[in-house]
């Protein structure tokens, strides 16, 4: 029955005992389940292979680190200092896009009517985008990149057609989410941008949020580009960084600390690093500060990312003791809920 | 036996056959899939699978897209194994255009394909057990392992399921530095998972009663339906494209082909667990050899995506096939020398493995239909395309 192959053979799988026994097989299976059940107590997760302990990630507050290669929807990059977009409207991405959701038009000189290496309008239909990443791959100017933002659920369908104002992100933002990829692309991208900036005039090729602000003259552009690269101060809305990948025994205490920090009125400080979150007293406000002061981070649309910071924030009150305001609950039920929750917290500690 | 009892019952009582629809929207049909079942009491007299509810025009889309544009669409065929689908299209196009693949790229490809097989079989067995009524526990175990592999895919390709990782002549980018440590870590945990999973389910009396002797697909019938993959091997035919027509670097790697003896649901379950073990062996060999491989992650001539985009294979046709976890996945391409294929045809294993469902179910109870369907391991995205 067995067949010999070049490197290997075929073999017949053993079907085991023909007769079913009186439940020993089920007991053996139950044994596995029980072992897993007990290993869930007290066992810490050190590595991926060892996920038999408790490895729940408290999602909104606590996040796993996304790999740099992660891709969700495309964004356009612009230079931090001058606001010049890297895009030159070469139409490569529009052509390669398999579901054909990218649309753009080329900027022209208002006087001569000649084409300028800058993009006039740029629209991506996020609702039909399939996140394949071919646009980012094909872009010769590294102007279009894949974002790590994935919480884009919205009830407003039309808001998923995103224009330049919603697509533009500073280079420093991309550098923060994918440092290795930007490092590879940096030199050629900035060199090409400097060349293209010389051929632009006025507001052409400037990201919408920069228009109207004081702009540096075109000749100074080359310098500005190089100045923008490290951009530590202008850290944009920090990409979701992990609070701590592994759950430790003081996890609950830490979560309470984060929630207390969030209650200070700051937008959900999802990116708060462990150390900052641990000492709540003075750390809370500082953690939130860079997030709140993030420059020109236009939300992809009115109702999507904005909801992250303005809609129902996770604060200590509505998780630990309080209930959402609009919930119709009778008084004693609220009290009961509070006591249960505080009791649970006590147990955890 | 069922035929016999039916005759006796018919002689004693006047029964009436009843036509019943399972699906198109039904949780146990693994997607939008309809079964027209003719039952006599609880016994299935006839069964007709009806599909096409998830038709997405994949082949026609392939004919209006350039070759590289089809790559992300193949992810959506069998969305559990996007890497295997990418592999199939890459092989077909490389055959058509005569593109060489460097050794390292080949090893990365096979690594991804075998990881895909492990995750598919873990999920397939888990869902099959789920169909039997063992709700949640085995499913959670299988899905846990799948998640770990998806993490690796996300690291390498950027997406968990819609990987779009392969390019003609290689893969889109090399493995990131953090990939190998995590792969080692995964490999450390996998044997425990296989043993545990088997211990959990293999001798479970309920599983044995529900699966042994159920949905038998005899060798001859399987061959005449051109069934492939684990379903065919469970029927006792040692046919594996990795052995029959080795592609990529499978001829340099050692692995065995498990086959079944009866061809019932239980055999399909065992085969999948054994195949996971064989895939584990393959991944081990690849990990050993990957540092010594030559060449980059992609053929330098094709490294620029502009080359991929403007690919104009010479006029002619090519059929590239891979052993996807579900069976033979083939892409038939006809080129007229332009940037788009003249004809783009997918031979989907799920679709062809589904056709003998009626023969497998006839004579069994309605509850068995769900189990048999689960044991074929179909994904409607691939059946309907």
């Amino acid at each position: 029955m067995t067949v010999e192959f070049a490197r290997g053979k075929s073999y017949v799988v053993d079907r085991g005992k023909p007769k079913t026994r009186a439940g020993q097989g089920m007991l053996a299976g139950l044994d596995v389940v029980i072992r897993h059940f007990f290993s869930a107590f007290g066992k810490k997760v050190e590595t991926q292979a060892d996920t038999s302990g408790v490895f729940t990630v408290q999602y909104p507050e606590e996040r796993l680190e996304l790999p740099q290669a992660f891709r969700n929807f495309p964004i356009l990059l612009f230079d931090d200092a001058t606001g010049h977009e890297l895009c030159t409207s070469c139409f490569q991405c529009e052509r390669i896009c398999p579901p054909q959701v990218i649309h753009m038009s080329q900027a022209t000189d208002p006087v001569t009517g000649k084409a300028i290496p800058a993009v006039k309008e740029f629209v991506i239909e996020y609702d039909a985008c399939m996140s394949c990443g071919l646009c980012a791959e094909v872009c010769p100017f590294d102007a279009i990149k894949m974002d790590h933002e994935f919480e884009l659920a919205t009830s407003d369908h039309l808001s998923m057609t995103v224009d330049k104002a919603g697509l533009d992100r500073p280079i420093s933002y991309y550098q923060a989410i994918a440092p290795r990829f930007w490092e590879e692309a940096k030199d050629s991208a900035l060199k090409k941008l400097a060349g293209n900036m010389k051929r632009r005039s006025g507001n052409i090729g400037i990201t919408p949020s920069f228009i109207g602000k004081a702009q540096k003259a075109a000749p100074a552009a080359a310098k500005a580009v190089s100045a923008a690269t490290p951009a530590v101060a202008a850290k944009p809305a920090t990409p979701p960084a992990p609070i701590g990948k592994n759950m430790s025994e003081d996890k609950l205490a830490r979560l309470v600390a984060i929630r207390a920090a969030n209650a200070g009125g700051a937008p959900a400080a999802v990116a708060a690093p462990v150390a900052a979150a641990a000492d709540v007293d003075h750390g809370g406000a500082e953690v939130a500060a860079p997030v709140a002061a993030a420059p020109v981070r236009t939300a992809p649309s009115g109702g999507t990312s904005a909801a992250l910071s303005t809609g129902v924030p996770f604060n200590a009150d509505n998780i630990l003791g309080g209930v959402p305001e609009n919930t119709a609950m009778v008084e004693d039920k609220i009290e009961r809920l509070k006591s249960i929750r505080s009791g649970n917290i006590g147990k955890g500690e | 036996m069922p035929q016999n009892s039916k005759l006796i019952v018919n002689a004693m009582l006047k029964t009436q056959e009843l036509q019943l629809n399972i699906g198109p929207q039904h949780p146990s049909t693994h997607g939008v899939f309809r079964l027209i079942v003719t039952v006599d009491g609880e016994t299935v007299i006839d069964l007709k699978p009806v599909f096409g509810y998830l038709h997405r025009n994949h082949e026609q889309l392939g004919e209006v897209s350039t070759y590289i544009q089809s790559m992300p669409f193949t992810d959506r065929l069998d969305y559990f194994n996007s890497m295997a689908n990418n592999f199939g299209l890459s092989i077909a196009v490389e055959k058509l255009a005569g593109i060489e693949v460097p050794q390292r790229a080949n090893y990365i490809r096979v690594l991804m394909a075998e990881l895909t097989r492990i995750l598919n079989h873990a999920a397939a067995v888990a869902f099959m057990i789920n169909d039997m009524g063992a709700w949640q526990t085995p499913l959670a175990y299988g899905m846990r392992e799948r998640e770990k592999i998806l993490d690796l895919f996300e690291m390498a390709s950027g997406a968990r399921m819609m990987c779009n990782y392969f390019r003609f002549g290689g893969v889109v980018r090399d493995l990131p530095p953090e990939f190998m440590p995590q792969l080692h870590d995964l490999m450390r945990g996998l044997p425990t998972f296989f043993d545990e999973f088997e211990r959990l389910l293999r001798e479970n009396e309920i599983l044995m009663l529900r699966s042994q002797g159920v949905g038998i697909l005899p060798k001859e019938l399987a061959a005449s339906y051109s069934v492939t993959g684990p379903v065919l091997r469970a029927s006792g035919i040692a046919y594996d494209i990795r052995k029959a027509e080795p592609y990529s670097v499978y001829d340099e790697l050692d692995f065995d082909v498990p086959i079944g003896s009866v061809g019932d649901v239980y055999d399909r379950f065992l085969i999948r667990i054994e195949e996971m073990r064989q895939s584990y062996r393959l991944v081990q060999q690849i990990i050993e050899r990957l540092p010594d491989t030559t060449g980059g992650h992609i053929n330098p001539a094709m490294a620029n995506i502009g080359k991929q985009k403007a690919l104009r294979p010479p006029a002619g046709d090519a059929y590239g096939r891979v052993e996807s976890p579900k069976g033979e996945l083939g892409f038939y391409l006809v080129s007229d020398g332009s940037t788009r294929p003249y004809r783009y045809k997918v031979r989907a294993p799920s679709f062809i493995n589904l056709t003998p469902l009626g023969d497998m179910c006839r004579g069994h109870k309605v509850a068995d239909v769900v189990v048999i369907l689960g044991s074929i391991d179909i994904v409607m995205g691939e059946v309907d395309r």
Side-chain angles (χ1 to χ4, degrees), chain A residues 298-323:
Chain A
T298 27
S301 63
T304 56
S305 276
L308 270 181
S309 46
T310 56
V312 200
F314 274 89
N315 59 42
D317 202 42
N318 70 17
I319 289 181
L320 299 182
V323 287

Side-chain angles (χ1 to χ4, degrees), chain A residues 1-3 5-37 47-52 55 64 66-71 92 95-100 130-134 137-139 180-181 245, chain B residues 68-69 72-73 76 137 141 144 148 151 154-159 162-164 167 172-173 176-178 182 185-186 188-189 196 199-200 202-206 208-209 212-213 219 236 238 243 251-262 264 266-267 270-271 274 278 289 305 309:
Chain A
M1 190 115 171
T2 58
V3 187
F5 293 112
R7 300 182 72 122
K9 58 179 192 325
S10 77
Y11 62 96
V12 179
V13 177
D14 175 29
R15 281 172 69 93
K17 298 176 187 69
K19 289 272 181 202
T20 54
R21 296 161 303 165
Q24 284 99 321
M26 265 148 77
L27 285 176
L30 197 60
D31 177 52
V32 173
V33 178
I34 288 171
R35 270 168 210 276
H36 268 280
F37 179 71
T47 61
Q48 280 262 318
D50 186 31
T51 39
S52 47
F55 52 96
L64 295 175
L66 291 172
Q68 286 189 30
F70 181 81
R71 53 173 210 262
Q92 295 276 345
R95 284 192 200 121
I96 203 167
C97 180
Q100 302 278 299
M130 58 197 236
S131 307
C132 65
L134 285 178
E137 222 176 295
V138 79
C139 184
R180 203 173 60 233
F181 289 127
K245 221 169 181 175
Chain B
I68 189 66
Q69 278 182 331
F73 286 129
R76 275 89 181 155
T137 304
Y141 286 23
R144 185 192 62 190
K148 292 182 199 166
D151 281 346
E154 190 180 22
M155 228 182 250
S157 72
M162 303 299 147
C163 295
N164 188 19
R167 293 289 175 270
V172 60
R173 63 179 80 87
E178 64 268 25
Q182 195 156 333
D185 187 33
L186 170 83
R188 203 158 52 77
E196 223 173 52
R199 191 168 148 76
L200 176 71
R202 189 191 166 108
E203 301 208 329
N204 186 307
E205 279 77 9
I206 300 172
M208 288 164 92
L209 285 170
Q212 286 184 347
K219 238 189 233 186
K243 290 290 187 198
D251 48 354
E252 299 171 19
L253 301 164
D254 299 319
F255 67 100
D256 298 332
V257 180
I259 56 171
S261 45
V262 179
D264 57 0
Y266 193 60
D267 262 345
L270 294 175
I271 291 279
E274 283 304 310
Q278 296 300 333
R289 295 182 198 182
I305 179 120
K309 205 175 67 161

Side-chain angles (χ1 to χ4, degrees), chain A residues 98-99 130, chain B residues 56 58 61-62 65 68-77 85 164 344:
Chain A
M130 58 197 236
Chain B
R56 298 179 316 290
H58 179 78
L61 269 178
S65 307
I68 189 66
Q69 278 182 331
S70 292
M71 187 64 82
F73 286 129
T74 60
D75 290 337
R76 275 89 181 155
L77 278 178
N85 303 341
N164 188 19
Y344 174 98

Side-chain angles (χ1 to χ4, degrees), chain B residues 162-180:
Chain B
M162 303 299 147
C163 295
N164 188 19
Y165 187 56
F166 287 45
R167 293 289 175 270
F168 310 130
V171 293
V172 60
R173 63 179 80 87
D174 211 332
L175 302 174
E178 64 268 25
F179 185 90
M180 279 329 242

Side-chain angles (χ1 to χ4, degrees), chain A:
Chain A
M1 190 115 171
T2 58
V3 187
E4 290 290 332
F5 293 112
R7 300 182 72 122
K9 58 179 192 325
S10 77
Y11 62 96
V12 179
V13 177
D14 175 29
R15 281 172 69 93
K17 298 176 187 69
K19 289 272 181 202
T20 54
R21 296 161 303 165
Q24 284 99 321
M26 265 148 77
L27 285 176
L30 197 60
D31 177 52
V32 173
V33 178
I34 288 171
R35 270 168 210 276
H36 268 280
F37 179 71
F38 282 109
S39 76
F41 294 101
K43 195 170 180 185
K44 272 211 295 187
V45 185
E46 299 295 342
T47 61
Q48 280 262 318
D50 186 31
T51 39
S52 47
V54 177
F55 52 96
T56 311
V57 176
Q58 302 291 334
Y59 162 62
E61 289 98 351
E62 200 165 17
R63 286 149 188 262
L64 295 175
E65 197 171 3
L66 291 172
Q68 286 189 30
F70 181 81
R71 53 173 210 262
N72 196 28
F73 287 143
I75 48 172
L76 291 175
L77 297 186
F78 67 85
D79 181 47
D80 282 73
T82 58
H84 269 284
E85 288 163 335
L86 274 65
C87 178
T88 63
S89 69
C90 67
F91 295 91
Q92 295 276 345
C93 52
E94 189 184 299
R95 284 192 200 121
I96 203 167
C97 180
Q100 302 278 299
V101 298
I102 301 178
H103 313 282
M104 67 170 91
S105 61
Q106 193 165 31
T108 49
D109 193 305
V111 184
T112 61
K114 270 189 185 169
I116 290 177
V119 68
K120 191 172 156 201
E121 284 169 289
F122 199 107
V123 174
I124 299 181
E125 297 164 53
Y126 270 8
D127 49 354
C129 171
M130 58 197 236
S131 307
C132 65
L134 285 178
C135 51
E137 222 176 295
V138 79
C139 184
F141 300 94
D142 290 291
I144 189 164
K145 291 288 175 193
M146 300 308 276
D147 198 2
H148 284 197
E149 183 65 71
F150 54 86
E151 288 155 320
L152 298 165
T154 174
S155 54
D156 180 11
H157 190 175
L158 292 176
S159 74
M160 296 309 278
T161 302
V162 188
D163 62 359
K164 240 168 47 163
L167 291 169
D168 277 352
R169 301 278 190 288
I171 284 176
S172 55
Y173 171 79
Y174 183 67
Q175 195 181 10
I177 58 173
R180 203 173 60 233
F181 289 127
W182 178 245
E183 204 55 43
E184 285 169 15
K186 189 169 78 177
D187 293 340
S188 78
L190 292 180
K191 205 174 139 201
K192 284 174 185 167
L193 174 64
N196 286 323
M197 277 161 69
K198 284 180 196 146
R199 294 169 62 195
R200 296 174 182 174
S201 62
N203 278 339
I204 292 168
I206 308 264
T207 185
S209 60
F210 265 60
I211 291 176
K213 289 185 189 175
Q215 280 165 23
K216 295 194 175 91
K223 262 183 250 162
V225 169
S226 56
T229 39
V232 184
K235 213 175 170 213
T238 332
I243 280 172
K245 221 169 181 175
N246 302 335
M247 300 294 131
S248 51
E249 59 274 357
D250 62 342
K251 183 175 90 176
L252 192 65
R254 202 146 37 78
L255 281 177
V256 171
I258 298 166
R259 286 164 178 170
N262 291 345
V270 286
V274 183
D279 46 357
V280 209
D281 294 319
H282 54 88
E286 282 166 28
V287 171
V291 181
V296 284
R297 168 88 207 291
T298 27
S301 63
T304 56
S305 276
L308 270 181
S309 46
T310 56
V312 200
F314 274 89
N315 59 42
D317 202 42
N318 70 17
I319 289 181
L320 299 182
V323 287
E325 278 166 27
N326 55 357
T327 318
M329 274 201 204
V330 278
E331 280 296 314
D332 66 315
K333 196 172 175 187
I334 295 174
E335 286 307 313
R336 205 142 35 83
L337 199 61
K338 274 185 181 171
S339 70
I340 292 169
R341 281 170 176 171
S342 59
N344 286 342
I345 298 293
K347 259 183 245 165
E349 285 159 354

Side-chain angles (χ1 to χ4, degrees), chain B residues 43-242:
Chain B
T43 313
V44 175
I45 310 275
D46 195 18
L47 184 144
K48 224 174 85 189
V50 182
F51 23 72
Y53 294 94
L54 208 63
H55 183 65
R56 298 179 316 290
N57 230 342
H58 179 78
E59 293 180 3
Q60 187 66 49
L61 269 178
E63 287 159 22
V64 298
S65 307
T66 58
Y67 289 90
I68 189 66
Q69 278 182 331
S70 292
M71 187 64 82
F73 286 129
T74 60
D75 290 337
R76 275 89 181 155
L77 278 178
D78 175 358
Y79 39 79
F80 266 76
N81 318 305
S82 58
M83 291 283 195
N85 303 341
N86 287 179
F87 207 166
L89 180 63
S90 304
I91 284 197
V93 173
E94 280 151 15
K95 247 188 199 174
L96 192 63
I99 301 167
E100 291 287 317
V101 185
Q103 197 191 13
R104 183 174 171 80
N106 261 328
Y107 271 93
I108 295 175
R109 283 175 167 199
V110 174
L111 169 68
M112 292 301 176
E114 291 309 315
L115 286 177
T116 301
R117 198 178 314 279
I118 295 176
L119 84 81
N120 176 74
H121 286 351
V125 171
F127 275 116
M128 188 187 95
I129 309 298
N130 200 38
D131 286 341
M132 281 181 193
W135 192 70
Q136 274 296 323
T137 304
L139 183 67
Y141 286 23
M143 292 310 242
R144 185 192 62 190
E145 241 34 54
R146 176 171 172 266
E147 282 302 309
K148 292 182 199 166
I149 299 175
L150 289 183
D151 281 346
L152 288 171
F153 286 178
E154 190 180 22
M155 228 182 250
S157 72
R160 300 169 78 77
M161 287 174 79
M162 303 299 147
C163 295
N164 188 19
Y165 187 56
F166 287 45
R167 293 289 175 270
F168 310 130
V171 293
V172 60
R173 63 179 80 87
D174 211 332
L175 302 174
E178 64 268 25
F179 185 90
M180 279 329 242
Q182 195 156 333
L183 178 61
H184 282 296
D185 187 33
L186 170 83
M187 294 295 281
R188 203 158 52 77
L190 273 180
T192 328
F193 164 69
F194 300 146
D195 294 345
E196 223 173 52
F197 207 46
E198 212 170 354
R199 191 168 148 76
L200 176 71
L201 300 168
R202 189 191 166 108
E203 301 208 329
N204 186 307
E205 279 77 9
I206 300 172
L207 187 142
M208 288 164 92
L209 285 170
R210 287 296 303 275
S211 60
Q212 286 184 347
V214 172
I216 295 176
L217 183 65
K219 238 189 233 186
E220 298 74 23
L221 196 63
S224 69
Y225 269 113
S226 60
V227 164
T228 48
V231 182
L232 177 73
R233 290 192 284 274
S235 297
I237 300 178
Y239 177 74
D240 189 319
I241 294 159
R242 294 173 293 170

